[in-house]
Short mmCIF file of all heavy atoms in Angstrom, two decimals:
data_model
loop_
_atom_site.label_atom_id
_atom_site.label_comp_id
_atom_site.label_asym_id
_atom_site.label_seq_id
_atom_site.Cartn_x
_atom_site.Cartn_y
_atom_site.Cartn_z
N LEU E 1008 -22.46 24.53 -43.97
CA LEU E 1008 -22.08 24.85 -45.34
C LEU E 1008 -22.06 26.38 -45.48
O LEU E 1008 -22.79 27.08 -44.77
CB LEU E 1008 -23.06 24.25 -46.33
CG LEU E 1008 -23.38 22.77 -46.17
CD1 LEU E 1008 -24.32 22.29 -47.26
CD2 LEU E 1008 -22.13 21.93 -46.15
N ALA E 1010 -22.01 28.52 -48.78
CA ALA E 1010 -21.98 28.65 -50.23
C ALA E 1010 -22.31 30.09 -50.62
O ALA E 1010 -23.46 30.52 -50.54
CB ALA E 1010 -22.97 27.69 -50.89
N ARG E 1019 -33.81 35.61 -56.22
CA ARG E 1019 -34.84 35.26 -55.23
C ARG E 1019 -34.34 34.10 -54.37
O ARG E 1019 -33.79 33.11 -54.89
CB ARG E 1019 -36.14 34.88 -55.92
CG ARG E 1019 -37.23 34.35 -54.98
CD ARG E 1019 -38.40 33.81 -55.78
NE ARG E 1019 -39.31 33.04 -54.93
CZ ARG E 1019 -40.51 33.47 -54.52
NH1 ARG E 1019 -40.93 34.66 -54.88
NH2 ARG E 1019 -41.27 32.70 -53.77
N ILE E 1020 -34.52 34.22 -53.06
CA ILE E 1020 -34.14 33.19 -52.10
C ILE E 1020 -35.39 32.43 -51.68
O ILE E 1020 -36.38 33.06 -51.28
CB ILE E 1020 -33.48 33.82 -50.85
CG1 ILE E 1020 -32.28 34.68 -51.24
CG2 ILE E 1020 -33.09 32.74 -49.85
CD1 ILE E 1020 -31.86 35.66 -50.17
N ASP E 1021 -35.35 31.12 -51.75
CA ASP E 1021 -36.46 30.31 -51.25
C ASP E 1021 -35.93 29.27 -50.27
O ASP E 1021 -34.88 28.66 -50.50
CB ASP E 1021 -37.18 29.59 -52.39
CG ASP E 1021 -38.08 30.51 -53.20
OD1 ASP E 1021 -39.00 31.11 -52.59
OD2 ASP E 1021 -37.85 30.64 -54.41
N LEU E 1022 -36.67 29.08 -49.16
CA LEU E 1022 -36.39 28.00 -48.22
C LEU E 1022 -37.65 27.77 -47.40
O LEU E 1022 -38.45 28.70 -47.21
CB LEU E 1022 -35.20 28.32 -47.31
CG LEU E 1022 -35.31 29.44 -46.28
CD1 LEU E 1022 -34.25 29.24 -45.19
CD2 LEU E 1022 -35.07 30.80 -46.92
N PRO E 1023 -37.87 26.53 -46.92
CA PRO E 1023 -39.11 26.20 -46.21
C PRO E 1023 -39.02 26.54 -44.72
O PRO E 1023 -39.22 25.70 -43.85
CB PRO E 1023 -39.25 24.70 -46.45
CG PRO E 1023 -37.84 24.22 -46.51
CD PRO E 1023 -37.06 25.32 -47.18
N MET E 1078 -37.36 24.89 -39.52
CA MET E 1078 -37.47 24.56 -40.93
C MET E 1078 -38.43 23.38 -41.11
O MET E 1078 -38.39 22.42 -40.35
CB MET E 1078 -36.11 24.18 -41.50
CG MET E 1078 -35.10 25.31 -41.55
SD MET E 1078 -35.24 26.32 -43.04
CE MET E 1078 -34.52 25.22 -44.27
N ALA E 1080 -38.43 21.49 -43.89
CA ALA E 1080 -37.72 20.47 -44.67
C ALA E 1080 -36.31 20.97 -44.91
O ALA E 1080 -35.99 22.13 -44.63
CB ALA E 1080 -38.44 20.21 -45.99
N GLY E 1081 -35.46 20.09 -45.46
CA GLY E 1081 -34.07 20.43 -45.65
C GLY E 1081 -33.75 20.82 -47.08
O GLY E 1081 -33.32 19.97 -47.88
N TRP E 1082 -33.94 22.07 -47.42
CA TRP E 1082 -33.51 22.57 -48.72
C TRP E 1082 -33.47 24.11 -48.72
O TRP E 1082 -34.09 24.75 -47.87
CB TRP E 1082 -34.39 22.07 -49.87
CG TRP E 1082 -35.85 22.48 -49.83
CD1 TRP E 1082 -36.88 21.77 -49.29
CD2 TRP E 1082 -36.42 23.69 -50.35
NE1 TRP E 1082 -38.07 22.46 -49.43
CE2 TRP E 1082 -37.81 23.65 -50.08
CE3 TRP E 1082 -35.91 24.81 -51.01
CZ2 TRP E 1082 -38.69 24.66 -50.47
CZ3 TRP E 1082 -36.78 25.84 -51.39
CH2 TRP E 1082 -38.15 25.75 -51.12
N CYS E 1083 -32.74 24.67 -49.66
CA CYS E 1083 -32.72 26.11 -49.88
C CYS E 1083 -32.30 26.35 -51.32
O CYS E 1083 -31.71 25.47 -51.97
CB CYS E 1083 -31.78 26.82 -48.90
SG CYS E 1083 -30.06 26.24 -48.94
N ALA E 1084 -32.61 27.53 -51.85
CA ALA E 1084 -32.36 27.79 -53.27
C ALA E 1084 -32.21 29.28 -53.52
O ALA E 1084 -32.79 30.12 -52.81
CB ALA E 1084 -33.50 27.23 -54.12
N LEU E 1085 -31.46 29.59 -54.57
CA LEU E 1085 -31.38 30.95 -55.08
C LEU E 1085 -31.61 30.90 -56.58
O LEU E 1085 -30.91 30.18 -57.30
CB LEU E 1085 -30.03 31.59 -54.77
CG LEU E 1085 -29.93 33.08 -55.15
CD1 LEU E 1085 -29.22 33.88 -54.06
CD2 LEU E 1085 -29.22 33.27 -56.49
N THR E 1086 -32.62 31.65 -57.04
CA THR E 1086 -33.03 31.64 -58.44
C THR E 1086 -32.74 32.99 -59.08
O THR E 1086 -33.04 34.04 -58.50
CB THR E 1086 -34.54 31.34 -58.56
OG1 THR E 1086 -34.84 30.13 -57.86
CG2 THR E 1086 -34.95 31.20 -60.02
N PHE E 1094 -29.78 27.69 -58.37
CA PHE E 1094 -28.94 26.76 -57.63
C PHE E 1094 -29.67 26.37 -56.36
O PHE E 1094 -30.17 27.24 -55.63
CB PHE E 1094 -27.61 27.44 -57.27
CG PHE E 1094 -26.72 26.66 -56.34
CD1 PHE E 1094 -25.71 25.86 -56.84
CD2 PHE E 1094 -26.87 26.74 -54.96
CE1 PHE E 1094 -24.87 25.16 -56.00
CE2 PHE E 1094 -26.03 26.04 -54.10
CZ PHE E 1094 -25.03 25.25 -54.62
N GLY E 1095 -29.76 25.06 -56.09
CA GLY E 1095 -30.45 24.60 -54.90
C GLY E 1095 -29.67 23.54 -54.16
O GLY E 1095 -28.87 22.80 -54.75
N LEU E 1096 -29.88 23.48 -52.84
CA LEU E 1096 -29.29 22.46 -51.98
C LEU E 1096 -30.40 21.66 -51.32
O LEU E 1096 -31.36 22.26 -50.81
CB LEU E 1096 -28.42 23.10 -50.90
CG LEU E 1096 -27.16 23.82 -51.34
CD1 LEU E 1096 -26.57 24.61 -50.16
CD2 LEU E 1096 -26.13 22.84 -51.88
N SER E 1097 -30.29 20.35 -51.31
CA SER E 1097 -31.19 19.51 -50.53
C SER E 1097 -30.34 18.64 -49.61
O SER E 1097 -29.25 18.20 -49.97
CB SER E 1097 -32.07 18.64 -51.43
OG SER E 1097 -31.30 17.75 -52.20
N TYR E 1098 -30.88 18.39 -48.40
CA TYR E 1098 -30.07 17.74 -47.37
C TYR E 1098 -30.98 17.19 -46.29
O TYR E 1098 -32.19 17.49 -46.25
CB TYR E 1098 -29.07 18.73 -46.78
CG TYR E 1098 -29.68 20.06 -46.43
CD1 TYR E 1098 -30.28 20.29 -45.20
CD2 TYR E 1098 -29.68 21.11 -47.36
CE1 TYR E 1098 -30.86 21.51 -44.88
CE2 TYR E 1098 -30.26 22.33 -47.05
CZ TYR E 1098 -30.84 22.52 -45.81
OH TYR E 1098 -31.43 23.73 -45.52
N SER E 1105 -31.22 23.93 -39.30
CA SER E 1105 -31.27 25.38 -39.45
C SER E 1105 -30.67 25.77 -40.80
O SER E 1105 -29.92 25.00 -41.41
CB SER E 1105 -30.50 26.07 -38.32
OG SER E 1105 -30.56 27.48 -38.43
N CYS E 1106 -31.01 26.96 -41.27
CA CYS E 1106 -30.37 27.50 -42.47
C CYS E 1106 -30.09 28.98 -42.22
O CYS E 1106 -31.00 29.76 -41.99
CB CYS E 1106 -31.24 27.32 -43.71
SG CYS E 1106 -30.41 27.81 -45.25
N TRP E 1107 -28.82 29.34 -42.24
CA TRP E 1107 -28.41 30.72 -42.06
C TRP E 1107 -28.36 31.41 -43.42
O TRP E 1107 -28.08 30.79 -44.44
CB TRP E 1107 -27.03 30.79 -41.42
CG TRP E 1107 -26.89 30.09 -40.11
CD1 TRP E 1107 -27.70 29.13 -39.56
CD2 TRP E 1107 -25.82 30.27 -39.17
NE1 TRP E 1107 -27.20 28.71 -38.34
CE2 TRP E 1107 -26.05 29.40 -38.08
CE3 TRP E 1107 -24.69 31.09 -39.14
CZ2 TRP E 1107 -25.19 29.31 -36.99
CZ3 TRP E 1107 -23.83 31.01 -38.06
CH2 TRP E 1107 -24.08 30.14 -36.99
N LEU E 1108 -28.63 32.70 -43.40
CA LEU E 1108 -28.53 33.52 -44.61
C LEU E 1108 -27.70 34.76 -44.28
O LEU E 1108 -28.09 35.55 -43.42
CB LEU E 1108 -29.91 33.96 -45.11
CG LEU E 1108 -30.88 32.88 -45.57
CD1 LEU E 1108 -32.24 33.51 -45.90
CD2 LEU E 1108 -30.34 32.14 -46.79
N VAL E 1122 -25.12 34.31 -49.08
CA VAL E 1122 -24.48 33.07 -48.66
C VAL E 1122 -25.55 32.14 -48.08
O VAL E 1122 -26.22 32.48 -47.10
CB VAL E 1122 -23.37 33.32 -47.64
CG1 VAL E 1122 -22.62 32.02 -47.36
CG2 VAL E 1122 -22.40 34.39 -48.13
N LEU E 1123 -25.72 30.98 -48.72
CA LEU E 1123 -26.63 29.94 -48.23
C LEU E 1123 -25.86 29.06 -47.25
O LEU E 1123 -24.82 28.50 -47.60
CB LEU E 1123 -27.15 29.10 -49.40
CG LEU E 1123 -27.88 29.86 -50.52
CD1 LEU E 1123 -28.29 28.89 -51.64
CD2 LEU E 1123 -29.10 30.60 -49.99
N GLU E 1124 -26.41 28.90 -46.01
CA GLU E 1124 -25.65 28.25 -44.95
C GLU E 1124 -26.47 27.25 -44.14
O GLU E 1124 -26.77 27.49 -42.97
CB GLU E 1124 -25.08 29.31 -44.01
CG GLU E 1124 -24.28 30.40 -44.70
CD GLU E 1124 -23.69 31.39 -43.72
OE1 GLU E 1124 -22.95 30.95 -42.80
OE2 GLU E 1124 -23.97 32.59 -43.84
N PRO E 1125 -26.84 26.11 -44.71
CA PRO E 1125 -27.46 25.07 -43.90
C PRO E 1125 -26.54 24.69 -42.74
O PRO E 1125 -25.32 24.52 -42.93
CB PRO E 1125 -27.63 23.91 -44.88
CG PRO E 1125 -27.67 24.56 -46.23
CD PRO E 1125 -26.73 25.72 -46.13
N VAL E 1156 -27.27 17.17 -51.91
CA VAL E 1156 -27.27 17.28 -53.37
C VAL E 1156 -27.35 18.76 -53.72
O VAL E 1156 -28.22 19.48 -53.23
CB VAL E 1156 -28.45 16.53 -54.01
CG1 VAL E 1156 -28.37 16.64 -55.54
CG2 VAL E 1156 -28.47 15.07 -53.59
N ALA E 1157 -26.42 19.21 -54.55
CA ALA E 1157 -26.46 20.56 -55.11
C ALA E 1157 -26.93 20.45 -56.55
O ALA E 1157 -26.35 19.71 -57.35
CB ALA E 1157 -25.08 21.21 -55.05
N SER E 1158 -28.01 21.17 -56.88
CA SER E 1158 -28.65 21.04 -58.19
C SER E 1158 -28.66 22.38 -58.91
O SER E 1158 -28.94 23.42 -58.31
CB SER E 1158 -30.10 20.56 -58.04
OG SER E 1158 -30.17 19.33 -57.36
N TYR E 1160 -30.86 24.10 -61.79
CA TYR E 1160 -32.16 23.87 -62.41
C TYR E 1160 -32.49 25.00 -63.38
O TYR E 1160 -32.01 26.14 -63.24
CB TYR E 1160 -33.26 23.73 -61.36
CG TYR E 1160 -33.33 24.88 -60.38
CD1 TYR E 1160 -34.11 26.01 -60.64
CD2 TYR E 1160 -32.62 24.84 -59.18
CE1 TYR E 1160 -34.16 27.07 -59.73
CE2 TYR E 1160 -32.66 25.89 -58.28
CZ TYR E 1160 -33.44 27.00 -58.55
OH TYR E 1160 -33.48 28.04 -57.67
N VAL E 1166 -38.95 28.54 -56.30
CA VAL E 1166 -38.85 27.13 -55.91
C VAL E 1166 -39.84 26.83 -54.79
O VAL E 1166 -39.93 27.56 -53.81
CB VAL E 1166 -37.41 26.80 -55.46
CG1 VAL E 1166 -37.34 25.37 -54.91
CG2 VAL E 1166 -36.44 26.97 -56.61
N ASN E 1168 -40.09 23.29 -53.80
CA ASN E 1168 -39.58 22.10 -53.11
C ASN E 1168 -38.36 21.57 -53.84
O ASN E 1168 -38.24 21.69 -55.07
CB ASN E 1168 -40.64 21.00 -53.05
CG ASN E 1168 -40.19 19.81 -52.23
OD1 ASN E 1168 -39.92 19.94 -51.03
ND2 ASN E 1168 -40.09 18.66 -52.85
N ILE E 1169 -37.44 20.98 -53.07
CA ILE E 1169 -36.34 20.19 -53.63
C ILE E 1169 -36.34 18.88 -52.87
O ILE E 1169 -36.24 18.87 -51.63
CB ILE E 1169 -34.98 20.89 -53.48
CG1 ILE E 1169 -35.03 22.32 -54.03
CG2 ILE E 1169 -33.90 20.10 -54.20
CD1 ILE E 1169 -33.72 23.09 -53.87
N VAL E 1175 -36.02 19.58 -58.46
CA VAL E 1175 -36.55 20.88 -58.05
C VAL E 1175 -37.88 21.13 -58.75
O VAL E 1175 -38.03 20.93 -59.95
CB VAL E 1175 -35.56 22.01 -58.40
CG1 VAL E 1175 -36.04 23.36 -57.87
CG2 VAL E 1175 -34.16 21.69 -57.87
#
Side-chain angles (χ1 to χ4, degrees):
L1008 310 183
R1019 174 188 167 106
I1020 304 162
D1021 284 302
L1022 68 159
M1078 293 275 286
W1082 62 266
C1083 57
L1085 186 138
T1086 306
F1094 172 96
L1096 293 169
S1097 62
Y1098 46 87
S1105 182
C1106 186
W1107 303 18
L1108 296 174
V1122 187
L1123 303 177
E1124 306 183 56
V1156 182
S1158 302
Y1160 54 89
V1166 174
N1168 185 61
I1169 308 178
V1175 185

